[in-house]
Amino acid sequence: MTAAFDEAVLRGVVPQVIAVLVRRGADFAAAEDAVQDALVEALRSWPDDPPRDPKGWLVTVAWRRFVDAVRSETARQRRESAVEVEPDPGPAAQRDDTLQVFFLCAHPALTPTSAVALTLRAVGGLTTRQVAEAFLVPEATMAQRISRAKRTIAGEPFDRPGDLATVRRVLYLVFNEGYGGDVDLAAEAIRLARELAALARDPETDGLLALMLLHHARRAARTRADGTLVPLAEQDRSLWDTDAVAEGVRLLQAALARERRGEYQLQAAIAALHADAASAPETDWVQVVQWYDELLALTGSPVVRLNRAVAVGEADGARSGLAALAEVDPALPRHRAAAAYLHERNGDLALAARLYAEAADLATSQPERVHLIRQAARLNGAG
Amino acid sequence: MPKYLILKHYRGVPAGTVNDHPMEEWTPEEVDAHMAFMDAFGKRLEADGEFVDAQALAPQGTFVRANDEGTGPVTDGPFAETKDLIAGWYVVDVDGWDRAVALASELSLAPGKGGRPIHEWLEVRPFYGAPCHED
């Protein structure tokens, strides 16, 4: 970036600018379109000519776009008279406004795919092209997806409290979509979660941010230069980002102290125990299992039950792990991979090799598939 | 957000389950109706923000492999009647597996001879996604 301005600052004010237009009488869909136009214009002209007041500039340009759009649609007197210039809201209103944009973009009527796209554009301040590149779809497809999402929530009031849990789920989806383009979605999800945490001030949102930071801290250690996966137990822990770990742990401790636990706090607690251990064998597996017990009681999730079985295998030995795994739905995608691992630890190498090979066929990503095939090959070679 | 390939085959699908007459035996109007259906399907995918790609393949082609002697590629063509033959595909980016199957099922109802649905077999295959962050 040779730009004389910080793109993150520009993107950070996008939801506030949308809210200003809405407060002045624009409907959300039209306001969001107008601000997107202004954003694209800003990305083009600011590097050479940065404005003194970025937000003011965006409001002015977006508002002009909006009024032009209204006029060109049909020069109906009635619509124009509804559009009157109002003073900008004060700081308190601004805070709530950004939260409202979060809520609208993660409205329960939207599918996860739509909510993710709309959130990245209207809250994240990404251009349609950036969102399309991030998900490896044509720009026209992404534009349609966003338009449809806005039609779905047309007429939703801007001031109604929304559902924080849905917003958190949407951000976690963004975090877990590691695809292409020049936008790092994991970093973007962290940025948005940080913003949401500041606005929401609730422990579970802090827990989500902590979980993201703790996972993200391991990123450099998770893959080799050739893209192959490095399992947690084999990762070079000196590559973990200690600042991110420290921030995640600090956030988590403060959140847990407030005694309103949720699934993201509990997952973060497990991630923190991994981060705490200087090496895999030093992990406090007994405590990991205790957190999984709590997580299972809270969610009843089959995936949690599966991960818990693996942790039991570490805490109490492979045989106990296999007993715990017997309680888990074998249709789960990673069931065979877990079974292979536990059978190997139990000394049943031929069975483990066969299960690794079967697990490879069920993998949902190419790096995971290659990793499982190599595990099978390793055991077959040792036989 | 997962992507799926919806694969069309010229042949190689179970017999007797399909309104399976070669297109040259249809009336021109039936061909037009089929093409209009396919066009509308593609446009709807685009409008719904689910479209990634659509391609049709010419049936003429060949299999190629290198042999041990290094005396140039070995080709195997034209196709034997029994071989599977890919006709083309859609790539969609949708909420999940169920939606991909529903779309393939819509495509299967494209009109054919006599204006009746073909009930064609479509193959649905997931793309690999991103590895998860939890390891």
Side-chain angles (χ1 to χ4, degrees):
Chain A
M1 286 290 291
T2 55
F5 73 98
D6 186 347
E7 196 177 318
V9 170
L10 164 61
R11 288 168 40 199
V13 295
V14 161
Q16 295 165 33
V17 177
I18 292 172
V20 170
L21 267 64
V22 171
R23 298 260 171 231
R24 289 182 182 181
D27 65 281
F28 175 76
E32 202 274 343
D33 270 336
V35 174
Q36 172 78 186
D37 284 350
L39 171 75
V40 171
E41 175 61 28
L43 288 169
R44 201 182 55 76
S45 69
W46 287 15
D48 299 327
D49 184 16
R52 271 207 303 277
D53 172 14
K55 187 179 160 188
W57 188 100
L58 275 179
V59 167
T60 304
V61 173
W63 183 249
R64 204 177 301 138
R65 294 286 165 110
F66 167 70
V67 171
D68 287 348
V70 169
R71 285 206 183 107
S72 66
E73 202 172 297
T74 46
R76 280 194 314 221
Q77 203 57 41
R78 195 173 48 78
R79 289 198 64 167
E80 292 215 18
S81 66
V83 169
E84 284 166 16
V85 178
E86 289 174 17
D88 281 8
Q94 261 176 38
R95 172 179 165 264
D96 294 340
D97 281 348
T98 299
L99 197 52
Q100 283 315 125
V101 180
F102 265 114
F103 285 147
L104 267 185
C105 293
H107 193 278
L110 296 171
T111 65
T113 300
S114 306
V116 161
L118 191 53
T119 298
L120 283 171
R121 203 171 90 146
V123 190
L126 296 179
T127 63
T128 309
R129 172 175 301 189
Q130 287 172 313
V131 182
E133 281 176 356
F135 292 104
L136 306 177
V137 302
E139 193 175 341
T141 294
M142 194 48 78
Q144 286 291 1
R145 190 177 291 179
I146 289 164
S147 303
R148 278 195 90 221
K150 289 197 294 188
R151 280 202 298 280
T152 303
I153 56 169
E156 286 296 326
F158 191 67
D159 292 54
R160 228 181 33 195
D163 181 18
L164 259 184
T166 313
V167 180
R168 284 192 293 260
R169 260 199 306 281
V170 168
L171 294 189
Y172 198 49
L173 271 177
V174 173
F175 181 73
N176 283 312
E177 282 289 341
Y179 281 131
D182 62 349
V183 174
D184 177 347
L185 284 185
E188 182 62 15
I190 288 172
R191 182 178 79 84
L192 294 178
R194 212 185 275 288
E195 194 167 336
L196 185 68
L199 296 168
R201 296 175 191 153
D202 94 304
E204 185 61 352
T205 306
D206 289 345
L208 171 66
L209 177 56
L211 175 64
M212 287 180 181
L213 287 164
L214 289 162
H215 278 328
H216 201 58
R218 297 209 293 261
R219 182 144 86 158
R222 250 201 315 266
T223 47
R224 296 185 189 84
D226 62 2
T228 50
L229 290 183
V230 187
L232 180 55
E234 295 165 31
Q235 284 174 18
D236 174 355
R237 300 189 174 214
S238 71
L239 296 176
W240 292 0
D241 177 346
T242 47
D243 290 347
V245 168
E247 189 190 358
V249 168
R250 202 171 51 244
L251 272 164
L252 175 68
Q253 281 170 339
L256 288 172
R258 293 170 64 186
E259 295 290 347
R260 280 175 34 223
R261 290 177 182 180
E263 57 180 313
Y264 291 120
Q265 290 173 76
L266 298 174
Q267 286 187 56
I270 293 163
L273 283 171
H274 288 303
D276 237 9
S279 68
E282 292 171 72
T283 309
D284 186 345
W285 288 107
V286 172
Q287 223 193 126
V288 169
V289 172
Q290 285 168 353
W291 284 116
Y292 271 126
D293 287 340
E294 196 171 333
L295 191 53
L296 192 55
L298 183 73
T299 64
S301 149
V303 173
V304 169
R305 203 180 292 275
L306 177 71
N307 291 336
R308 181 185 168 277
V310 175
V312 167
E314 301 293 344
D316 305 332
R319 210 164 286 236
S320 305
L322 286 166
L325 190 67
E327 309 290 309
V328 180
D329 178 2
L332 279 184
R334 303 180 77 187
H335 186 282
R336 275 190 185 70
Y341 176 77
L342 289 167
H343 279 295
E344 181 185 355
R345 300 258 334 247
N346 202 36
D348 202 339
L349 302 192
L351 177 57
R354 188 165 60 75
L355 288 168
Y356 274 127
E358 286 175 15
D361 274 346
L362 299 169
T364 56
S365 80
Q366 181 75 346
E368 196 185 341
R369 175 174 167 265
V370 171
H371 171 71
L372 292 164
I373 287 174
R374 288 178 73 244
Q375 297 289 61
R378 177 176 55 79
L379 291 181
N380 285 330
Chain B
M1 284 149 300
K3 292 187 178 64
Y4 297 88
L5 180 71
I6 300 177
L7 202 53
K8 284 174 68 74
H9 300 260
Y10 281 114
R11 309 192 266 278
V13 297
T17 52
V18 180
N19 174 13
D20 193 11
H21 297 270
M23 245 177 176
E24 60 269 22
E25 296 174 11
W26 303 5
T27 66
E29 292 72 28
E30 286 167 353
V31 173
D32 291 345
H34 179 82
M35 289 305 165
F37 177 97
M38 299 306 281
D39 187 55
F41 180 83
K43 285 206 167 72
R44 207 169 54 245
L45 276 185
E46 288 176 34
D48 289 350
E50 295 175 314
F51 177 87
V52 179
D53 187 37
Q55 300 292 337
L57 299 175
Q60 288 72 30
T62 188
F63 280 72
V64 179
R65 73 177 187 92
N67 62 7
D68 275 346
E69 293 73 43
T71 52
V74 179
T75 60
D76 159 17
F79 287 102
E81 196 56 43
T82 52
K83 274 201 183 106
D84 177 22
L85 185 54
I86 304 296
W89 65 75
Y90 287 92
V91 177
V92 297
D93 186 81
V94 293
D95 270 307
W97 171 255
D98 293 349
R99 176 64 182 158
V101 168
L103 286 170
S105 163
E106 276 180 42
L107 205 49
S108 178
L109 294 175
K113 187 170 169 62
R116 294 188 312 278
I118 298 177
H119 296 296
E120 178 185 14
W121 286 92
L122 279 303
E123 189 178 0
V124 181
R125 300 278 301 275
F127 279 48
Y128 280 122
C132 72
H133 282 253
E134 314 211 341
D135 301 305

